[in-house]
Amino acid sequence: MARDWSDVFLLDLPSAAAADPGEPAQPEPEARRPGMFARLRENLGKTRAALAAEVQATLFDALDDATWERLEEALIMADVGARTTAEVVERLEHEATSGVVEGGPALQARLIELLAEQARTGEDGGRIDLRHAPTVIMVAGVNGTGKTTTIGKLAWHLTQDQGLRVVLGAADTFRAAAVEQLEEWARRAGCEIVTGPPETDPGSVAFETVRRGREQGADVVIVDTAGRLHTQDDLMAELTKVRRVIAKQLDGAPHETLLTVDATTGQNGLRQAELFSQATPVSGIVLTKLDGTAKGGIALAIARDLGIPVKLIGVGEQLEDLRPFDPDEYARALLAP
Ligand SMILES: Nc1nc2c(ncn2[C@@H]2O[C@H](COP(=O)(O)OP(=O)(O)OP(=O)(O)O)[C@@H](O)[C@H]2O)c(=O)[nH]1
Ligand SMILES: [Mg+2]
């Protein structure tokens, strides 16, 4: 069964229930899931079209060396990555030639399983622990990868669906328009936002945001950060500083550092993510723009390549276009007939 929001967030149920006595956080209704799966398939249309045809043409025909080569090529074209592709295809070939798995449909099902396996990593099972008071989430990533949009969608979900109290912090003070952009999302999500005057020190905005969150008994504080500064070194230094300032205001915070990666930038995006994660500890990836790419296979390799779990995926620009990442569901959406 597909993973839903209640599988992603670890909630302190008594307090969540206290926020809204009649309605403690409920799992997503069953009825909504099939629709969600269909939408995911639709959103992944470009990758799906490219992969599905090739899987049909290879695994459902006579199996020979060319089969495995073509399959490898198709997966690499979809950005699954050379290492992951090689491992998965080698395994599948071995199982096929030794007779463990037979026939096109069984091979296809096994391929889905093997790919999903690769996408699982991390001790927290891809979950986001929201049981702190408040939980502080810092969002980092290269400019344009979707930090601010993701924060808006996440805030909307947490307030509207989970009934949580959220405070946003506009600590991207480098770009003037960044604050207005986050303000607009806060308005849509119906949550509070802390801003500073132009060119304020981002650390002070982050500090104030966490302070306000504590003062108001918020459940979740989400801090936006800059994606670009004068130099890459400046940016990494700033992220380190924002982190330190947050920790000074609240012991153990930030509890979650999410890194946004733009799926359309492929292997290049992966290298950027590597740089970020070396500079600041990252606990989860948000893979964005999966709706507009033929390279959605990256979701199945990125966890393995970075050793960081993908926790959320962005499949569009609207409020509801953020989804929990479920490797099995995702692999099925890409490859199942
Ligand atoms: N199609 C699609 N577009 C997205 C998605 N996520 C973000 N975008 C778009 O990507 C563009 C950049 O998003 P932002 O949220 O501003 O990115 P950012 O990382 O905050 O950028 P900076 O503040 O400049 O560092 C916007 O036009 C978003 O609408 C997604 O999942 N799908
Ligand atoms: Mg931004």
Side-chain angles (χ1 to χ4, degrees):
M1 186 39 81
R3 184 178 152 94
D4 65 29
W5 285 108
S6 60
D7 300 319
V8 176
F9 297 128
L10 278 179
L11 287 166
D12 197 358
L13 282 174
S15 115
D20 188 354
E23 255 179 276
Q26 289 290 336
E28 232 165 315
E30 288 283 330
R32 270 171 72 182
R33 285 178 175 163
M36 284 297 178
F37 184 68
R39 272 210 38 219
L40 181 61
R41 281 175 62 131
E42 199 180 297
N43 285 323
L44 297 176
K46 285 188 184 163
T47 316
R48 190 179 152 69
L51 266 181
E54 208 52 36
V55 167
Q56 282 295 324
T58 51
L59 296 183
F60 286 75
D61 207 347
L63 304 176
D64 54 24
D65 284 350
T67 305
W68 309 113
E69 268 169 40
R70 276 184 72 178
L71 184 60
E72 263 182 15
E73 262 168 44
L75 291 171
I76 286 172
M77 290 293 284
D79 240 353
V80 171
R83 209 171 41 168
T84 306
T85 297
E87 260 186 47
V88 165
V89 174
E90 193 182 316
R91 195 77 185 272
L92 192 67
E93 179 179 359
H94 177 76
E95 291 180 13
T97 48
S98 64
V100 179
V101 187
E102 276 178 86
L107 280 169
Q108 186 172 31
R110 185 65 183 134
L111 176 62
I112 290 171
E113 237 174 60
L114 288 171
L115 283 169
E117 242 170 56
Q118 298 283 329
R120 272 188 285 266
T121 193
E123 292 156 15
D124 57 10
R127 275 187 287 271
I128 297 176
D129 189 348
L130 296 181
R131 293 173 302 177
H132 312 275
T135 297
V136 181
I137 301 175
M138 177 171 147
V139 180
V142 173
N143 65 297
T145 51
K147 290 179 294 297
T148 308
T149 307
T150 297
I151 291 171
K153 294 170 178 172
L154 185 59
W156 179 75
H157 177 78
L158 292 173
T159 49
Q160 306 300 318
D161 280 0
Q162 307 280 341
L164 300 177
R165 184 190 266 254
V166 177
V167 178
L168 304 185
D172 176 3
T173 57
F174 185 69
R175 218 163 42 83
V179 175
E180 285 163 41
Q181 197 189 346
L182 194 68
E183 275 174 334
E184 174 58 23
W185 283 109
R187 195 188 57 71
R188 287 199 234 174
C191 67
E192 211 194 313
I193 178 169
V194 173
T195 63
E199 293 182 39
T200 327
D201 169 45
S204 73
V205 177
F207 189 83
E208 176 58 19
T209 309
V210 178
R211 196 195 63 73
R212 188 87 65 86
R214 296 186 74 178
E215 181 186 87
Q216 307 210 339
D219 300 292
V220 185
V221 167
I222 313 177
V223 179
D224 195 9
T225 62
R228 178 177 46 195
L229 289 185
H230 299 293
T231 72
Q232 181 84 356
D233 286 347
D234 287 347
L235 181 60
M236 297 307 162
E238 178 171 303
L239 288 176
T240 309
K241 187 176 164 202
V242 168
R243 256 192 100 82
R244 205 171 48 230
V245 162
I246 290 174
K248 216 178 269 176
Q249 175 60 264
L250 181 62
D251 235 8
H255 307 96
E256 186 79 35
T257 302
L258 297 176
L259 182 72
T260 51
V261 178
D262 177 343
T264 64
T265 60
Q267 300 297 312
N268 188 34
L270 207 89
R271 270 187 296 278
Q272 290 174 337
E274 236 161 11
L275 283 178
F276 266 80
S277 62
Q278 280 158 13
T280 192
V282 173
S283 54
I285 303 287
V286 182
L287 197 57
T288 62
K289 309 189 196 180
L290 279 167
D291 50 311
T293 179
K295 297 181 165 296
I298 194 168
L300 297 168
I302 194 168
R304 231 212 103 184
D305 287 359
L306 293 176
I308 305 165
V310 177
K311 295 192 174 177
L312 302 167
I313 54 175
V315 290
E317 297 182 271
Q318 306 304 313
L319 282 167
E320 65 276 14
D321 292 333
L322 187 71
R323 296 288 304 153
F325 177 67
D326 174 352
D328 299 294
E329 179 190 53
Y330 190 90
R332 267 193 301 126
L334 270 188
L335 293 162

